[in-house]
Coordinates of all heavy atoms in Angstrom, one line a residue:
A1 N 3.5 13.5 2.4 CA 3.2 14.7 3.1 C 4.3 15.0 4.0 O 5.2 14.3 4.3 CB 1.9 14.5 3.9
D2 N 4.3 16.4 4.5 CA 5.4 16.8 5.3 C 5.5 16.0 6.7 O 6.6 15.8 7.2 CB 5.3 18.3 5.7 CG 5.4 19.2 4.5 OD1 6.2 18.8 3.5 OD2 4.8 20.2 4.4
D3 N 4.4 15.5 7.2 CA 4.4 14.8 8.4 C 4.7 13.4 8.3 O 4.9 12.6 9.2 CB 3.0 14.9 9.1 CG 1.9 14.4 8.3 OD1 2.1 13.8 7.3 OD2 0.7 14.6 8.8
G4 N 4.9 13.0 7.0 CA 5.4 11.6 6.7 C 4.2 10.5 6.9 O 4.4 9.3 6.8
R5 N 3.0 11.0 7.3 CA 2.0 9.9 7.6 C 1.0 9.7 6.5 O 0.3 8.7 6.5 CB 1.1 10.5 8.8 CG 1.8 10.4 10.1 CD 0.9 11.0 11.2 NE 0.6 12.4 10.9 CZ -0.4 13.0 11.5 NH1 -1.2 12.3 12.3 NH2 -0.8 14.2 11.2
T6 N 1.0 10.6 5.5 CA 0.0 10.5 4.4 C 0.5 10.6 3.0 O 1.4 11.5 2.8 CB -1.1 11.6 4.6 OG1 -1.7 11.4 5.9 CG2 -2.2 11.4 3.5
A7 N 0.3 9.6 2.2 CA 0.7 9.7 0.8 C -0.3 10.6 0.0 O -1.5 10.3 0.2 CB 0.9 8.4 0.2
V8 N 0.1 11.6 -0.7 CA -0.8 12.5 -1.4 C -0.6 12.3 -2.9 O 0.5 12.6 -3.4 CB -0.7 13.9 -0.9 CG1 -1.7 14.8 -1.6 CG2 -0.7 14.1 0.6
T9 N -1.6 11.9 -3.6 CA -1.4 11.8 -5.0 C -1.6 13.2 -5.8 O -2.0 14.2 -5.1 CB -2.5 10.9 -5.6 OG1 -3.8 11.5 -5.5 CG2 -2.5 9.5 -4.9
S10 N -1.3 13.3 -7.0 CA -1.4 14.5 -7.7 C -2.9 14.9 -7.8 O -3.2 16.1 -8.2 CB -0.8 14.3 -9.1 OG 0.5 14.0 -9.0
T11 N -3.8 14.0 -7.6 CA -5.2 14.5 -7.7 C -5.7 15.1 -6.3 O -6.8 15.6 -6.2 CB -6.2 13.2 -7.9 OG1 -6.0 12.4 -6.8 CG2 -5.8 12.6 -9.3
G12 N -4.9 15.0 -5.4 CA -5.2 15.4 -4.0 C -5.8 14.4 -3.1 O -6.1 14.6 -1.9
M13 N -6.1 13.2 -3.6 CA -6.6 12.2 -2.8 C -5.4 11.6 -2.0 O -4.3 11.6 -2.4 CB -7.2 11.1 -3.7 CG -8.5 11.4 -4.5 SD -9.2 10.0 -5.3 CE -10.5 10.9 -6.2
Q14 N -5.8 11.0 -0.8 CA -4.7 10.7 0.1 C -5.0 9.2 0.4 O -6.0 8.6 0.5 CB -4.9 11.5 1.5 CG -4.6 12.9 1.3 CD -4.7 13.7 2.6 OE1 -5.3 13.2 3.5 NE2 -4.2 14.8 2.6
S15 N -3.8 8.6 0.7 CA -3.7 7.2 1.1 C -2.7 7.1 2.2 O -1.7 7.9 2.2 CB -3.3 6.2 -0.1 OG -4.3 6.2 -1.1
P16 N -2.9 6.1 3.1 CA -1.8 5.9 4.1 C -0.5 5.6 3.6 O -0.4 4.9 2.5 CB -2.4 4.8 5.0 CG -3.8 4.7 4.6 CD -4.0 5.1 3.1
V17 N 0.6 6.1 4.1 CA 1.9 5.7 3.8 C 2.0 4.2 4.1 O 1.5 3.7 5.1 CB 3.0 6.5 4.5 CG1 4.3 5.9 4.5 CG2 3.0 7.9 3.9
A18 N 2.8 3.5 3.4 CA 3.0 2.1 3.5 C 3.3 1.7 4.9 O 4.3 2.2 5.5 CB 4.0 1.5 2.5
T19 N 2.7 0.7 5.5 CA 3.1 0.1 6.7 C 4.0 -1.1 6.5 O 4.2 -1.4 5.4 CB 1.8 -0.4 7.5 OG1 1.2 -1.3 6.7 CG2 0.9 0.8 7.8
K20 N 4.5 -1.6 7.6 CA 5.5 -2.7 7.4 C 4.8 -3.9 6.8 O 5.4 -4.8 6.2 CB 6.0 -3.2 8.7 CG 7.0 -2.1 9.3 CD 7.7 -2.5 10.6 CE 8.7 -1.5 11.1 NZ 9.3 -2.0 12.4
R21 N 3.4 -4.0 7.0 CA 2.7 -5.3 6.5 C 2.3 -5.1 5.2 O 1.8 -6.1 4.5 CB 1.6 -5.6 7.4 CG 0.5 -4.6 7.5 CD -0.8 -5.1 8.3 NE -1.7 -4.1 8.6 CZ -1.9 -3.4 9.6 NH1 -1.0 -3.6 10.6 NH2 -2.8 -2.4 9.8
L22 N 2.4 -3.9 4.6 CA 1.8 -3.7 3.2 C 2.7 -4.5 2.2 O 2.2 -5.1 1.2 CB 1.8 -2.2 2.8 CG 1.2 -2.0 1.4 CD1 -0.2 -2.5 1.2 CD2 1.3 -0.4 1.1
L23 N 4.0 -4.5 2.3 CA 4.9 -5.1 1.4 C 4.6 -6.6 1.3 O 4.3 -7.2 0.3 CB 6.4 -4.9 1.6 CG 7.0 -3.6 1.1 CD1 8.4 -3.5 1.6 CD2 6.9 -3.6 -0.4
P24 N 4.6 -7.3 2.5 CA 4.2 -8.8 2.4 C 2.8 -9.0 2.0 O 2.5 -10.1 1.3 CB 4.5 -9.2 3.8 CG 4.5 -8.0 4.7 CD 5.1 -7.0 3.8
S25 N 1.9 -8.0 2.2 CA 0.6 -8.2 1.9 C 0.4 -8.2 0.3 O -0.3 -9.0 -0.3 CB -0.4 -7.1 2.4 OG -0.4 -7.3 3.9
I26 N 1.1 -7.2 -0.3 CA 1.1 -7.2 -1.8 C 1.7 -8.5 -2.3 O 1.1 -9.0 -3.3 CB 2.0 -5.9 -2.2 CG1 1.3 -4.7 -1.9 CG2 2.3 -6.1 -3.8 CD1 2.1 -3.4 -2.2
A27 N 2.8 -9.0 -1.8 CA 3.4 -10.3 -2.2 C 2.5 -11.4 -2.1 O 2.3 -12.2 -3.1 CB 4.6 -10.5 -1.5
I28 N 1.7 -11.5 -1.0 CA 0.9 -12.6 -0.7 C -0.3 -12.6 -1.7 O -0.8 -13.7 -2.3 CB 0.4 -12.7 0.8 CG1 1.5 -12.9 1.7 CG2 -0.8 -13.6 1.0 CD1 1.2 -12.8 3.1
L29 N -1.0 -11.4 -1.9 CA -2.1 -11.3 -2.8 C -1.7 -11.6 -4.2 O -2.3 -12.3 -5.0 CB -2.8 -10.0 -2.7 CG -4.1 -9.8 -3.6 CD1 -5.0 -10.9 -3.4 CD2 -4.6 -8.4 -3.3
S30 N -0.5 -11.1 -4.6 CA 0.0 -11.3 -5.9 C 0.3 -12.9 -6.1 O 0.1 -13.4 -7.2 CB 1.4 -10.6 -6.1 OG 1.2 -9.2 -6.0
V31 N 0.7 -13.6 -5.1 CA 0.9 -15.0 -5.2 C -0.4 -15.6 -5.5 O -0.4 -16.5 -6.4 CB 1.3 -15.6 -3.8 CG1 1.2 -17.1 -3.7 CG2 2.8 -15.2 -3.5
F32 N -1.5 -15.3 -4.9 CA -2.7 -16.0 -5.1 C -3.3 -15.6 -6.5 O -4.0 -16.4 -7.2 CB -3.7 -15.7 -4.1 CG -3.5 -16.7 -2.9 CD1 -2.5 -16.3 -1.8 CD2 -4.1 -17.9 -2.7 CE1 -2.2 -17.1 -0.8 CE2 -3.8 -18.8 -1.6 CZ -2.8 -18.4 -0.7
V33 N -3.2 -14.3 -6.9 CA -3.7 -13.9 -8.2 C -3.0 -14.6 -9.3 O -3.6 -15.2 -10.2 CB -3.5 -12.3 -8.4 CG1 -3.7 -12.0 -9.8 CG2 -4.4 -11.6 -7.5
F34 N -1.6 -14.6 -9.2 CA -0.8 -15.3 -10.3 C -0.9 -16.8 -10.2 O -0.7 -17.5 -11.1 CB 0.6 -14.7 -10.4 CG 0.6 -13.3 -10.9 CD1 0.6 -12.1 -10.1 CD2 0.5 -13.0 -12.2 CE1 0.6 -10.9 -10.6 CE2 0.5 -11.8 -12.8 CZ 0.6 -10.7 -11.9
A35 N -1.1 -17.3 -9.0 CA -1.3 -18.8 -8.9 C -2.6 -19.2 -9.7 O -2.6 -20.2 -10.3 CB -1.5 -19.2 -7.4
T36 N -3.6 -18.4 -9.6 CA -4.8 -18.7 -10.4 C -4.5 -18.6 -11.8 O -5.0 -19.5 -12.6 CB -5.9 -17.7 -10.0 OG1 -6.1 -17.7 -8.6 CG2 -7.2 -18.1 -10.7

């Protein structure tokens, strides 16, 4: 979005733009999924 705060998909649904903790969160959850 123009204000940089919201990610807007092509369907019009919105999600928050990635915070600093999202990247490590993705990595950590991926660790446990693929560890299983």
